[in-house]
Amino acid sequence: HPVPEQAYLDQEEDLESVDTAIFYSITSTQSGLQGIELGTHLIKQAVALLKREIPWLSQFSTLSPIPGFRSWLLLELTRHLKERTPSPLSQAEVQALSEICCGNENESSVEKGFHGLIKSGQWSSDQQTVDTLKPVLLRLCARYLYEEKRRSKALDPVANFHIRNGAMLYRINWMADPSPRGMGNSCGIMVNYRYYLENLEENSREYINNNVLPVNQQVLDLL
């Protein structure tokens, strides 16, 4: 569940210039994540507490993990290699990755090399490899969060939790968590779910009843 980050402000910082609160979401898939009533209560309680301390806060967003992204990507690549399902990579991405994965543009070789890179986790130590993988992984992560579904709802459990509670899929952040756990879960990527307080009930209702996932244009631009 989301918990407000403890504020650590320097004595000289001008608190009046602060207008945004970021909730840090712990990596958890416990049953509490699936309870919309609990989630809504926690979020509204946190907002109320913060607004009592800083009444002029106007923007509320999470910084959330993406626990299922890397495992989903490895499964998609494995299925493509073994079962010949459609490749998760575009032809342009195959060409871009060919230089770091296998030295040629044979698609299956690139897919196999890409799978090996992601599985090993060693790619983050080489800057050229990082720069090449960045646009590919960001697009695939946007696809995973916005397009991949289970029973018409977001496949990722943290995404489903926040969207059910009325948040918007707002921004995907490259290398926001380069810790071993962050790299193992999501290749270091994290995501912002933004809570527009005036839209929470409508967004939640549209998602639960009509499977409409609210998304910001900057996420769509990655696809």
Side-chain angles (χ1 to χ4, degrees):
H1 64 269
V3 292
E5 188 78 55
Q6 177 68 38
Y8 293 101
L9 300 174
D10 294 335
Q11 291 182 355
E12 298 178 358
E13 185 163 353
D14 181 10
L15 195 59
E16 293 184 359
S17 67
V18 175
D19 64 358
T20 301
I22 301 293
F23 300 91
Y24 179 74
S25 295
I26 61 172
T27 302
S28 173
T29 55
Q30 296 177 1
S31 58
L33 270 179
Q34 300 169 12
I36 180 172
E37 296 83 3
L38 174 62
T40 302
H41 173 73
L42 289 171
I43 292 158
K44 290 182 176 179
Q45 184 181 54
V47 168
L49 287 170
L50 286 168
K51 293 202 74 160
R52 276 208 298 269
E53 293 186 18
I54 311 174
W56 50 89
L57 282 177
S58 59
Q59 300 182 95
F60 300 90
S61 178
T62 75
L63 180 60
S64 296
I66 313 169
F69 171 56
R70 180 173 171 271
S71 59
W72 166 83
L73 177 56
L74 289 173
L75 180 60
E76 287 292 302
L77 290 166
T78 298
R79 291 179 62 213
H80 171 71
L81 291 168
K82 291 186 175 181
E83 303 172 19
R84 308 311 300 169
T85 57
S87 171
L89 299 175
S90 69
Q91 283 301 312
E93 289 169 341
V94 169
Q95 182 175 354
L97 291 172
S98 64
E99 296 183 7
I100 63 170
C101 287
C102 62
N104 63 62
E105 295 179 22
N106 179 275
E107 182 178 330
S108 62
S109 298
V110 171
E111 299 282 356
K112 186 175 181 179
F114 183 47
H115 182 280
L117 272 178
I118 300 303
K119 187 173 183 179
S120 73
Q122 301 299 313
W123 55 271
S124 61
S125 61
D126 180 77
Q127 192 58 48
Q128 180 185 357
T129 303
V130 170
D131 292 342
T132 303
L133 290 183
K134 179 179 178 179
V136 179
L137 288 174
L138 285 175
R139 183 191 69 81
L140 289 168
C141 189
R143 170 187 160 181
Y144 169 71
L145 289 171
Y146 183 61
E147 296 182 349
E148 295 299 315
K149 301 293 196 300
R150 176 184 287 126
R151 297 177 182 173
S152 301
K153 299 294 188 289
L155 177 62
D156 186 81
V158 177
N160 184 55
F161 168 76
H162 287 295
I163 302 302
R164 282 179 65 90
N165 284 318
M168 168 183 282
L169 175 57
Y170 188 71
R171 179 168 56 207
I172 297 174
N173 303 286
W174 177 248
M175 281 297 167
D177 182 7
S179 70
R181 186 173 189 175
M183 296 298 293
N185 283 338
S186 59
C187 302
I189 303 172
M190 296 186 77
V191 59
N192 298 120
Y193 299 103
R194 187 160 174 183
Y195 282 82
Y196 292 94
L197 302 183
E198 66 276 13
N199 297 332
L200 294 187
E201 291 186 9
E202 180 182 357
N203 285 351
S204 178
R205 184 169 55 250
E206 281 294 297
Y207 180 65
I208 292 170
N209 295 335
N210 301 318
N211 304 317
V212 175
L213 195 157
V215 60
N216 188 270
Q217 187 62 46
Q218 60 190 320
V219 175
L220 296 177
D221 288 344
L222 296 172
L223 293 170

